[in-house]
Amino acid sequence: MFIDTIPAQHAGVFAGQGQARTFDLQAGDVGYVPVAMGHYLENTGSNTLRFLETFKSDRFVDFSLDTWMAATPPELVQAHLNLDPQVMNRLRKTKALVVPE
């Protein structure tokens, strides 16, 4: 992915077995996410986040962690992630699309 915006962006890459890393990104940064690892970008600034993401495959599958957690029995998610019921109730059961304003 290539970040094309001012500073104040946060990214995370995560895998199974509790493996995860987070990064603070600035305009012009380039990041690499290994195959089969989940990732997210968070705009922690007040400007619009613009980024370019490319894939080495002709097939793309978008999978929402939020939706997956909402579809998993709440007792399992709470037991493994120690989330309170208030957080569980805010999980979306339908995917939220990222679209330009």
Side-chain angles (χ1 to χ4, degrees), residues 3-88:
I3 304 297
D4 178 28
T5 189
I6 64 166
Q9 311 312 318
H10 193 71
V13 178
F14 52 92
Q17 309 301 320
Q19 299 171 335
R21 288 194 61 193
T22 58
F23 307 88
D24 290 321
L25 302 171
Q26 299 183 32
D29 282 352
V30 174
Y32 172 77
V33 178
V35 173
M37 292 186 77
H39 64 282
Y40 70 89
L41 289 174
E42 177 185 5
N43 185 354
T44 56
S46 58
N47 289 347
T48 301
L49 168 63
R50 295 187 321 173
F51 68 96
L52 173 66
E53 194 164 22
T54 60
F55 301 92
K56 189 179 175 181
S57 173
D58 59 355
R59 182 170 180 256
F60 170 73
V61 177
D62 186 14
F63 185 81
S64 167
L65 178 61
D66 186 42
T67 306
W68 176 80
M69 288 172 56
T72 302
E75 306 80 36
L76 292 176
V77 177
Q78 287 175 307
H80 290 279
L81 300 178
N82 197 28
L83 299 176
D84 62 47
Q86 197 173 22
V87 171
M88 295 299 299

